[in-house]
Amino acid sequence: MDTQTADAPPLAQDSATAGRLKPNSLGVLGILFFVLSAQAPLTGIAGAVPLAVAIGNGAGAPAAYLASGLIVLLFSVGFVAMGRHVVDAGAFYTYIGKGLGRLAGSGSAAVALFAYCSIQAAMYGLYGATVTALVEHYAGVHVAWWIWVLITMAVVQLLGVAGIEMGAKVLTVFVVAEFSILLVFALVTFVRGGGPEGLGFTDSFSPSAVLQGAPGVALMFAVASMFGFEATAIYGEEAREPRKTVPRATYLSVVVITGFFAFTSWMLVSAHGASKVMADAGAALGSGDATTFVFAPVTDQFGAWVGDVLPVLLATSLFAGVLAFHNSANRYLFSLGREGLLPHRLTALNRRHSPWVAGTVQTAIALLVILPFALLGKDPVLTLFSWLSGVAVLAMMLLYFLTSVSVVVFFRRSRADTRPWNTLVAPTLGALGIAGAIWLIVQNFTTLIGGDRATALWLQLTVPVVMALGVAAARLRQRRAAPSSS
């Protein structure tokens, strides 16, 4: 495996001793389930759709999911083309380093690790609050949210150590459960001809519907819901026939995620009625429990028992997402250790070829991030979840943009693939779409995190600061290595 850039000396690595992740462990469906778990579909639908409708473009919100899917699909064309030449658990930073140089790759490695650890910590916050509410409702016992988080951290660590197959089996159960209930709701609503005002296709997908209200805000939340699809490349080393499996899993995940969010959100709009949906979403947000916008029509369709099941599925959805991002982050740490950018100890594998040291470090990072919020008594949803999920989305969109630019530069330089659409046109269009999405996210960041402008500003600044620290660390490492290489 070649992981050096086109214009830099090879990175320090010893593949024979550093070890490799277990090959032939995952097929297309296995990788797909990891990606869908990272999406936390019920969390995305119950959390993002009410916001996209209420403060975005109302009944036109489903079209925003189609638009975001198109942007990501264009990005995926170049992403897949690069993946045919680079198979590495580091994915983003390796891709960026190939085209934009070692320093840019090192900076993006820091940003990628920051993004995955941030979104996992954010999901821990929402998960802790959700489980606390469930236990209090059914058992009448109040247990602090952070206690449930600590218990779950231990479980996630054990599953990570157990190996990729065990994690895939656990995630499959949770993903199938949450996907099924939402998809059945959407299909039944569609077959019945929609809600009180019919299916309302033109109310959601006509140009006038798409452009009403604040379409940029809806697009922002739709793009945020795509977070995690890029994990297909992270599992390349563990995939069966990675040059076939990873591209198939990438395209399939984008299509499935886009179709699921667009179709389900359309049926939710239909269930409420296009003329009332914005008011209903606003009322749900005003009540302090936005999930009622989604849970109420599903309960109306299937009965009261679903009202008891959905909060449980929300908790399992979050657990699946936490586990998926744990696996993604520890593979980044493993890859950085193998490349010599972090201590070599991170490459240690157990008998199941699982990066157990990297996983332990990832769990420790999550603990350190969450601890201040617990000690200071901060609300886990309004601060931990809202702040860090916003930061993670911004960081990941920066990586998407840099990767698209790197794809164009790499193939123009190497001529390893001369297909214009795959290596120039699609990546360029994807980069332009992602740049527009980044602008929308920055402009509406206060809304995204649910905080004030000052908080939004310093949270946004963490992303370029992390990038700069990654570059500075790489420069320092180069200077220390220079005397010995001369």
Side-chain angles (χ1 to χ4, degrees), residues 107-484:
S108 64
V111 173
L113 188 59
F114 178 64
Y116 284 125
C117 289
S118 294
I119 193 62
Q120 192 210 36
M123 296 180 82
Y124 267 129
L126 183 56
Y127 171 84
T130 301
V131 174
T132 295
L134 282 172
V135 173
E136 190 166 3
H137 176 73
Y138 290 108
V141 178
H142 177 79
V143 179
W145 65 271
W146 53 268
I147 293 179
W148 298 116
V149 169
L150 292 177
I151 294 171
T152 304
M153 276 186 183
V155 174
V156 168
Q157 175 67 19
L158 289 174
L159 287 173
V161 170
I164 198 75
E165 301 97 331
M166 178 63 72
K169 291 175 182 177
V170 172
L171 293 179
T172 298
V173 175
F174 293 146
V175 170
V176 168
E178 58 184 294
F179 246 75
S180 296
I181 197 164
L182 289 173
L183 191 57
V184 170
F185 158 76
L187 289 172
V188 170
T189 302
F190 181 80
V191 170
R192 289 180 176 176
E197 301 174 20
L199 291 174
F201 181 83
T202 57
D203 292 323
S204 289
F205 297 103
S206 67
S208 59
V210 172
L211 297 175
Q212 69 179 334
V217 173
L219 181 63
M220 175 186 69
F221 285 108
V223 168
S225 298
M226 300 296 292
F227 192 112
F229 86 94
E230 73 292 331
T232 53
I234 293 175
Y235 297 106
E237 287 186 31
E238 296 154 282
R240 304 184 192 102
E241 298 184 85
R243 283 175 171 77
K244 293 181 180 179
T245 302
V246 172
R248 291 171 184 171
T250 300
Y251 288 130
L252 184 59
S253 65
V254 173
V255 171
V256 169
I257 293 165
T258 301
F260 173 78
F261 275 96
F263 182 56
T264 305
S265 60
W266 175 29
M267 289 302 98
L268 282 169
V269 169
S270 176
H272 285 275
S275 65
K276 302 188 303 178
V277 69
M278 184 174 280
D280 288 352
L285 292 177
S287 71
D289 184 7
T291 62
T292 58
F293 175 80
V294 176
F295 290 179
V298 177
T299 301
D300 289 342
Q301 186 176 105
F302 296 123
W305 66 272
V306 178
D308 295 325
V309 171
L310 283 173
V312 176
L313 285 180
L314 178 59
T316 59
S317 172
L318 288 161
F319 176 83
V322 163
L323 180 56
F325 282 116
H326 171 80
N327 286 324
S328 296
N330 68 25
R331 276 150 184 78
Y332 250 93
L333 287 165
F334 170 87
S335 185
L336 290 171
R338 188 170 57 189
E339 302 291 350
L341 296 173
L342 286 178
H344 186 75
R345 178 63 176 160
L346 291 169
T347 64
L349 300 173
N350 61 16
R351 293 178 182 178
R352 295 178 177 270
H353 285 258
S354 176
W356 69 275
V357 173
T360 302
V361 171
Q362 198 285 316
T363 299
I365 291 172
L367 179 62
L368 290 174
V369 171
I370 291 168
L371 195 59
F373 290 87
L375 292 176
L376 295 174
K378 295 292 185 181
D379 186 288
V381 177
L382 298 180
T383 57
L384 180 57
F385 175 73
S386 297
W387 294 2
L388 295 190
S389 59
V391 166
V393 169
L394 183 59
M396 192 56 68
M397 293 306 294
L398 174 61
L399 293 176
Y400 290 172
F401 177 77
L402 292 175
T403 300
S404 292
V405 174
S406 180
V407 167
V408 174
V409 173
F410 172 73
F411 286 114
R412 297 283 71 72
R413 177 191 297 152
S414 70
R415 311 303 295 175
D417 188 335
T418 57
R419 294 173 296 173
W421 170 255
N422 298 71
T423 63
L424 178 62
V425 179
T428 300
L429 292 175
L432 292 173
I434 292 165
I438 291 174
W439 182 83
L440 289 172
I441 290 171
V442 171
Q443 290 295 110
N444 297 281
F445 199 76
T446 303
T447 300
L448 183 61
I449 67 166
D452 55 67
R453 290 185 179 181
T455 301
L457 178 60
W458 70 260
L459 285 173
Q460 289 177 76
L461 289 176
T462 59
V463 177
V465 167
V466 168
M467 181 83 179
L469 289 174
V471 171
R475 284 186 182 277
L476 181 61
R477 182 175 172 274
Q478 283 181 341
R479 290 173 183 171
R480 287 178 175 174
S484 60

Side-chain angles (χ1 to χ4, degrees), residues 33-115:
F33 275 114
F34 271 108
V35 172
L36 296 182
S37 301
Q39 295 293 318
L42 182 56
T43 305
I45 290 292
V49 172
L51 288 165
V53 171
I55 60 180
N57 58 345
Y65 286 95
L66 286 181
S68 68
L70 177 60
I71 292 172
V72 171
L73 192 61
L74 288 170
F75 164 82
S76 298
V77 174
F79 188 68
V80 165
M82 182 70 91
R84 294 183 185 277
H85 298 273
V86 183
V87 178
D88 189 277
F92 274 132
Y93 82 83
T94 310
Y95 292 5
I96 292 169
K98 279 281 187 178
L100 302 182
R102 185 172 185 171
L103 292 179
S106 298
S108 64
V111 173
L113 188 59
F114 178 64

